């Protein structure tokens, strides 16, 4: 404790911060700052002190002892408080907090935020304002909670040209898919349980529909490739339609089902896509299960690396908020042009690469269809794929149907353009010998 | 290219660096700097330029085009060159380069080094000198090559109290143990092949004996726990004695064999140990195989996170060297007291925790012994463990020997103090009904 008393003695002034929002992450941030005050001070060289918190309802009973910290229900009191040097925005949501953040910057305050929707949708404007004012905006906690993935890509891999990355960046989706695989259960069944356990929201569409992952992908792609934030260009597909039967067939073929955010720089432009995909079991990221997150990165000098940890939760997210605070505090006196740029690349050297239409991406596919068990049917299906320049990796019939009865056919393609695949799917579905719709799922072979 | 020309036009001055050493990592560093010059400049806001390289033998033919870079065999010419702002030490080895690094600091130059032996053995003196001079010493590349593990622990997890970490931090050991497990081969056999493939040195003792891992563990423990570098206190055990039979039995019991660096903060002091250990298959780190490295960290706010990537090699290591260079360049004008401290914690707040004697650590154990197949023998063995306060998790006899013949007995303990285990081993070995030495291996249950 000797070491710590030095900081209390006033040798170095404590940094004063204000929290906007006091929910799960706000509470966690105060808890971590209080519990680890000594360690944090030993690292940062000064104390970081919450002096005011904006809450929604002043009357609400709270579990956390806020000590002498001023609570207010007027957010602007904190934004306008001249003593406060850093505003920590932990309210969440998009447009409504945008104004508070812009006003904080206008007032000359640095900002730390855990708000992925805000950064994905308004980051370009926020960073422009911050640069004008010579201020910092930290957003490590906006992506993959406890994994310092922003710092890793922005600083750790700064010598590399990043080629692609894939991320398991939504814990709810990963929990549901893991349960479907491990317990042979259907989506609706697991979702209900996830809601009871608090792993899924009452309205789960934001998570299972892929929007949350798309926010995070937007941010990661921007810092990985030096492009402006382009949330509106992300292709988004959720996991609501995934059936356990396909997870089982994929398992037999050596693949696991994951909901991924994927971005890749190609000669034609940038891939930005969020969707379920099958990945080879032997890749380490296939073993990431439950609510955990992981990001696998292919970079030219390093090769493959992977970063794994909790993607959400009170204290994991708070850990990233506080790490941002320490970074911001350290760079208070740094010449703004020597700070780490918000989007990893100097603002005037961002390149607005075109985002590839989903029809133009190249990947492999798993297809499941019901076909009549009759000579020539597999040949007819195969030839349609051939005509559309799609090479088939394997084709197998499940079970032994009687002649002229329906059997399940599973087909795996090699890499092909998605628009070719779609044409082939349409033509195969039109065959008399194929019944109903084809189930198709992208396959990422992760070289 | 438009963006890049800006930097060439002289708007921002290029930073001039000198390399000491031009082997595998030196060559990789020049290659990465040249190939990714544009991306690096877009990130760092200026160019980083190698202007001189110290080599051993000026006459040697080299594959890399060094362009107009000055080559010299007089290291001091570079150390004394007033144009050079950062010295990059990539010679390796300990005592002999220590002087060159100290002189570089004396001359007011920042230093980046990939030299784990140097930092583990002389880091305390080097960082003291650097602090006196207000200079930076980057050593990201000294541990786990392409994984930015120093940055992760020092900055990414700065809000946390780190409780423990385990690392697969020697690629040679991990390659050998992976091959022994996957191909059912013995140590000597795999080592020979690893040497042919270039994964192991002609004198492999540094790697397979654990010294290399101990250097890295020393550095990681220091930045994780805020303690001075204490290489001399690390318990070191290599993998030369590991037999494939134990890998096979462990597999049946649900464990994998890994060579680990382990550090844990306990109430009694710090654990600092390098040795082979069995870990549960279901933990993600058990799936890290081949020459890859990974570090699993338990921290109070984040919980468990894991960082995975190549631990060595020319360009992965160069990636870390260049990332350090970018960090150093960015912090040129930062007030030294606001820079990230070398050992993560402010130099005057390091705490020299006692290092626990290996006899005092608490972990679990796997034991294999030859015992006579006779009623009462297992009871006699079990009671010795009980007398030494060791709880047995499981005990099983392999195979069905005839009465009074020798059979193999496998025993797994619960957590216990190592000195108790050693006493029990000695007493069991002394039993008439037990033949020869007991094979014992530590088991890390990784909660």
């Amino acid at each position: 404790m000797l070491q710590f008393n030095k900081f209390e003695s006033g040798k170095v002034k404590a940094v004063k911060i204000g929290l906007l929002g006091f929910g799960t992450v706000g509470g966690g941030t105060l808890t971590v700052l209080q519990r680890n005050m000594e360690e944090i001070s030993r690292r940062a060289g000064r104390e970081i002190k919450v002096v005011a918190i904006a809450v929604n309802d002043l009357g609400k009973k709270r579990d956390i002892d806020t000590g002498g910290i001023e609570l207010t229900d007027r957010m602007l009191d904190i934004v306008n408080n001249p003593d406060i040097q850093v505003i920590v925005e932990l309210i969440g949501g998009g447009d409504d907090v945008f104004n508070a953040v812009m006003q904080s910057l206008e007032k000359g305050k640095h900002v730390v935020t855990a708000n992925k929707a805000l950064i994905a949708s308004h980051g370009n404007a926020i960073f422009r304002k911050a640069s004008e004012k010579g201020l910092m905006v930290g957003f490590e906690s906006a992506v993959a909670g406890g994994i310092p993935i922003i710092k890793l890509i922005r600083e750790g891999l700064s010598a590399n040209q990043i080629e692609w990355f894939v991320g398991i960046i939504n814990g709810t989706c990963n929990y549901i898919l893991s349960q479907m695989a491990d317990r042979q259960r259907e989506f609706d069944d697991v979702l209900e349980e996830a809601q009871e356990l608090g792993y899924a929201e009452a309205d789960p569409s934001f998570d299972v529909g892929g929007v949350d992952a798309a926010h995070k992908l937007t941010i990661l792609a921007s810092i990985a490739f030096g492009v402006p934030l382009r949330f509106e260009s992300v292709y988004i597909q959720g996991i609501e339609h995934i059936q356990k039967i396909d997870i089982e067939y994929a398992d037999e073929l050596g693949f696991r089902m994951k909901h991924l955010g994927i971005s890749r720089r190609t000669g034609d432009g940038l891939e930005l896509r969020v969707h379920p995909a099958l990945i080879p079991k032997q890749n380490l990221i296939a073993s990431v299960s439950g609510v955990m997150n992981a990001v696998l990165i292919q970079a030219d000098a390093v090769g493959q690396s992977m970063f794994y940890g909790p993607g959400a939760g009170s204290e994991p997210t708070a850990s990233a908020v506080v790490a941002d605070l320490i970074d911001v505090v350290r760079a208070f006196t740094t010449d703004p042009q020597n700070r780490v740029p918000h989007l990893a690349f100097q603002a005037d050297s961002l390149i607005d690469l075109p985002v590839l239409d989903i029809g133009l991406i190249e990947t492999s596919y798993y297809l499941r269809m019901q076909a009549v068990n009759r000579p020539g049917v597999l040949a007819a299906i195969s030839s349609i794929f051939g005509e559309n320049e799609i090479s088939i990796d394997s084709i197998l019939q499940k079970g032994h149907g009687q002649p002229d009865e329906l059997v399940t056919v599973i087909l795996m393609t090699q890499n092909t353009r998605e628009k070719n695949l779609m044409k082939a799917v349409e033509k195969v579905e039109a065959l008399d010998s194929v019944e109903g719709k084809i189930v198709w799922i992208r396959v990422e072979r992760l070289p």
Side-chain angles (χ1 to χ4, degrees), chain A residues 46-313:
Chain A
R46 74 203 85 184
E47 204 186 331
I48 294 172
K49 216 175 163 128
V50 178
V51 297
I53 304 175
V55 298
N56 226 346
D57 175 7
L58 277 171
K60 192 175 161 187
K61 279 203 79 155
R62 295 168 204 282
D63 294 336
I64 302 168
D65 177 16
T66 50
I69 300 169
E70 176 198 338
L71 262 63
T72 170
D73 55 4
R74 285 170 313 208
M75 202 151 68
L76 284 184
D77 283 1
I78 293 184
V79 171
N80 292 324
N81 182 337
D83 282 350
I84 289 175
Q85 296 162 278
V86 188
I87 297 288
V88 180
E89 186 279 302
L90 303 171
I91 299 169
D95 299 340
D96 43 341
V97 294
F98 175 57
N99 291 331
V101 166
M102 291 299 269
Q103 271 185 284
S104 300
L105 294 169
E106 199 56 60
K107 291 278 176 188
K109 294 179 192 335
H110 303 283
V111 172
V112 169
T113 175
N115 193 331
K116 59 214 100 179
L118 178 76
I119 296 297
S121 302
H122 300 289
N124 295 324
I126 290 169
F127 299 144
R128 207 176 307 120
K129 170 66 77 183
S131 296
E132 277 170 33
K133 293 280 184 177
L135 295 166
M136 291 170 274
V137 178
F139 53 100
E140 180 65 78
S141 51
V143 183
I147 312 174
I149 190 70
I150 304 286
K151 180 174 286 285
L152 270 160
I153 296 178
R154 206 160 61 169
E155 303 171 47
L157 300 178
S158 56
N160 291 262
Q161 294 190 48
I162 293 175
E163 295 165 9
W164 53 260
F165 66 85
V166 305
I168 296 174
I169 47 181
N170 182 276
T172 307
C173 285
N174 204 44
Y175 174 80
I176 292 174
L177 292 176
S178 300
Q179 286 284 312
M180 287 174 73
D182 297 347
R183 314 260 151 124
Q184 291 88 47
R185 293 166 63 187
E186 289 291 3
F187 173 81
D188 290 334
D189 185 20
V190 180
L191 174 60
E192 201 173 303
E193 190 199 65
Q195 287 171 319
E196 281 162 20
L197 289 169
Y199 293 161
E201 305 286 334
D203 173 7
S205 58
F206 207 66
D207 289 312
V208 300
V211 174
D212 175 75
H215 283 144
K216 296 166 182 165
L217 179 79
T218 301
I219 298 170
L220 291 180
S222 190
I223 61 170
F225 300 112
V227 297
L229 297 150
R230 288 285 172 256
F231 172 63
E232 68 285 356
S233 305
V234 180
Y235 169 85
I236 306 176
Q237 189 182 54
I239 60 166
E240 307 93 330
H241 62 292
I242 298 296
Q243 298 170 54
K244 76 170 187 202
I245 182 81
D246 296 306
I247 293 177
E248 286 165 12
Y249 285 149
D251 182 71
E252 286 174 34
L253 294 161
F255 292 86
R256 290 232 175 95
M257 180 87 72
K258 294 288 168 192
H259 188 248
L260 300 178
I262 302 177
S263 187
R264 177 184 278 115
R265 177 158 51 184
T266 76
D268 302 323
L270 201 64
E271 294 182 11
L272 279 181
R273 49 195 173 102
V274 163
H275 54 74
L278 298 175
I279 53 176
K281 277 185 204 173
Q282 62 268 30
N283 193 298
L284 191 63
I285 197 170
S287 299
V288 172
S289 60
V291 294
M292 300 302 274
N293 279 201
V295 180
L296 173 71
I297 301 173
Q298 174 77 34
D300 72 337
V302 163
Q304 278 192 21
S305 53
M306 195 187 90
F307 309 100
Y308 162 89

Side-chain angles (χ1 to χ4, degrees), chain A residues 393-412:
Chain A
D393 199 60
S394 61
I395 182 163
L396 55 129
Q397 181 178 315
K398 302 300 293 185
H400 305 279
Q402 295 298 311
D404 292 324
E405 282 188 357
L406 287 175
V407 290
T408 298
V409 173
I410 304 292
L411 195 147
M412 297 279 283

Side-chain angles (χ1 to χ4, degrees), chain A residues 374-387 392 395 424 427-428 431-434:
Chain A
R374 184 191 299 156
V377 171
L378 288 191
I381 293 171
S382 302
S383 76
I384 290 175
F385 281 88
E387 286 158 18
I392 294 173
I395 182 163
K427 285 201 178 144
V428 171
L431 289 176
D432 282 346
S433 51
V434 169

